[in-house]
Amino acid sequence: MRFLFVHGTGVRRDRHDTLFALVRERLAARFPGAAVDSCFWGDRFGAGLGSGGRSVPGLRPGTADPADAETAEWGLLLADPLCELRVLAEAGWDADGPGPDDDPFAPPGVRSAGAGVLDLLHRLAEAPGDPRGESGELRALLDGTGLAPGFRPALEAAAGSAEAARAAARVPAEPQARELATALARAVTAGALATAGADADCTAAERDRLVELLTTRLGGGARVPGARAAALLGRLALRVSTQPLLNAWRGSLTVGATPALGDILRYQARGTELRAFLHGRITAEPGPTVLIGHSLGGIALVDLLALEAASGGPVPGAELLVTVGSQAPYLYELGALTALPPGSALPYGFPRWLNVYDRQDVLSYLAGPVFPGDPRVTDHEVRSRQPFPASHSAYWKQPSLYEHIGRAVAEAGLG
């Protein structure tokens, strides 16, 4: 009996050698006398960027667009609509000077400018009926952008937040009150946008106009140049969300992730080459052979075995298929599996199939439920207790994996 290990996506020589040494050691210990071979395909059939990544916008050094900082700020606000208010609540406007509540000579009963802004927001949030009220433009803007359903909840969330109350209490003078009005308007707008999600149909110009209209309703005007919230939030946005980081993300998703993502895309386009290579390796020596395919390796093996069985008979010597952390069942459901249209049965001559998955591995799927009633297909769960993505590679040190393989080998009459 022979085991042939087929690695998954993104694996290159160094990683393959380390991984296969572990798999070979564990299989040899459980199946003394069995040959354990590997089918390394990563360097030959894996993906690479033929033009060095020149297709990736911004990957190479260039000049940042000034609009990137504004886009970055809104990225932070959509993730946390109260983040700008939180900056004001914590940092205030003048870190070295006293706040209005600290002034021992302030006339009794005189409210701060910030409290007045917050009162206007409360009145807007608590107004009976439609809080969009007097402004026909505001009402039309909310309706036309899909933000109307989330507008009142966003108003209430901002008005009732501890961040707004603390920021208002720290307003030292009228200019900063106007900036507070803008921050509150941005918080409400971001909250409505976040609630609408993909249902929002709002351009940047419409978003900015909504902020402007709300700011006016709260007694404010344009943001104060150089104001503390703008400076702090802007610096944070520059660090975590501007174009340089977007370029880095884009680079990691294209150049950095090319071996993993690229291998899958390349296989979908040119899988014939890899399947022919696997066929040659399987039939190079007499069987019986147990095929163990991880991730994309499992997809390629399912495709190969199904195509061969449907066209000319089973692949000689292939007696048992073991897929580990495989997406083949999911691709079958999508209609993206090369060999099997959705709803079709596994062809006669397809070998026994053990599919091993881990609930924490988001790239592993169940085979049995999509091939109901087929006695050749069995699913078994392995629990590595590792989060994803570590769980996708954590199978090979799990004793239960080899126990499942051992049982499948025995049931197939191979050992």
Side-chain angles (χ1 to χ4, degrees):
M1 180 175 65
R2 178 174 70 128
F3 290 91
L4 183 61
F5 173 72
V6 182
H7 66 80
T9 182
V11 174
R12 296 301 183 258
R13 175 56 72 180
D14 289 346
R15 173 60 180 156
H16 165 269
D17 291 348
T18 301
L19 179 59
F20 179 58
L22 173 62
V23 174
R24 180 172 52 193
E25 176 188 352
R26 298 299 176 94
L27 288 173
R30 190 170 188 91
F31 303 97
V36 182
D37 296 327
S38 174
C39 187
F40 175 60
W41 55 266
D43 286 348
R44 182 173 176 183
F45 300 103
L49 289 172
S51 299
R54 290 184 176 86
S55 63
V56 184
L59 184 62
R60 300 180 183 278
T63 303
D65 188 332
D68 293 339
E70 179 193 28
T71 302
E73 288 184 21
W74 277 101
L76 294 181
L77 284 164
L78 289 175
D80 177 9
L82 301 179
C83 67
E84 190 168 16
L85 294 173
R86 192 169 290 114
V87 170
L88 295 175
E90 296 298 327
W93 280 264
D94 183 359
D96 300 321
D101 294 341
D102 299 323
D103 184 359
F105 302 105
V110 174
R111 307 196 67 202
S112 70
V117 174
L118 196 54
D119 279 347
L120 290 173
L121 181 65
H122 277 288
R123 288 188 206 131
L124 192 59
E126 296 169 0
D130 187 349
R132 294 168 285 171
E134 311 104 28
S135 172
E137 182 184 357
L138 180 58
R139 180 165 51 250
L141 189 58
L142 290 169
D143 289 335
T145 57
L147 301 186
F151 182 67
R152 177 178 282 279
L155 271 174
E156 294 172 347
S161 68
E163 289 84 351
R166 289 164 57 200
R170 301 195 68 167
V171 172
E174 191 63 34
Q176 288 75 23
R178 291 197 296 272
E179 187 192 357
L180 174 64
T182 301
L184 289 168
R186 283 156 60 92
V188 172
T189 302
L193 282 165
T195 298
D199 292 332
D201 186 18
C202 184
T203 67
E206 290 171 325
R207 176 200 67 202
D208 294 344
R209 180 57 179 161
L210 179 57
V211 171
E212 183 180 350
L213 291 172
L214 288 173
T215 300
T216 301
R217 294 284 294 273
L218 298 177
R223 180 187 286 187
V224 180
R228 189 168 180 80
L232 291 177
L233 188 67
R235 284 199 297 270
L236 178 60
L238 284 169
R239 293 185 63 181
V240 304
S241 189
T242 50
Q243 189 67 34
L245 186 58
L246 178 61
N247 291 341
W249 285 341
R250 193 194 295 269
S252 69
L253 290 174
T254 50
V255 178
T258 290
L261 177 61
D263 285 358
I264 297 170
L265 298 176
R266 182 184 175 91
Y267 174 76
Q268 292 296 96
R270 295 185 172 84
T272 303
E273 300 170 350
L274 176 55
R275 290 192 294 272
F277 178 65
L278 294 176
H279 187 279
R281 290 299 311 275
I282 295 169
T283 58
E285 298 183 23
T289 300
V290 177
L291 301 170
I292 302 177
H294 180 223
S295 192
L296 179 57
I299 294 173
L301 287 172
V302 170
D303 273 338
L304 170 63
L305 296 171
L307 286 168
E308 290 294 310
S311 61
V315 176
E319 299 291 339
L320 173 65
L321 169 65
V322 180
T323 55
V324 179
S326 177
Q327 305 88 52
Y330 179 62
L331 294 182
Y332 168 76
E333 282 201 273
L334 289 177
L337 195 63
T338 301
L340 297 167
S344 62
L346 291 172
Y348 178 80
F350 194 94
R352 290 174 177 263
W353 180 6
L354 167 64
N355 180 63
V356 180
Y357 69 99
D358 184 338
R359 291 174 189 268
Q360 301 304 317
D361 176 11
V362 300
L363 295 178
S364 67
Y365 294 87
L366 294 168
V370 296
F371 297 105
D374 193 325
R376 293 169 293 179
V377 183
T378 305
D379 292 303
H380 281 293
E381 182 177 6
V382 166
R383 296 197 177 191
S384 66
R385 298 189 296 115
Q386 292 270 46
F388 184 81
S391 56
H392 189 55
S393 301
Y395 296 94
W396 309 109
K397 285 189 176 182
Q398 306 304 314
S400 57
L401 169 64
Y402 302 95
E403 292 170 5
H404 291 315
I405 293 175
R407 282 195 291 271
V409 166
E411 291 169 359
L414 302 178

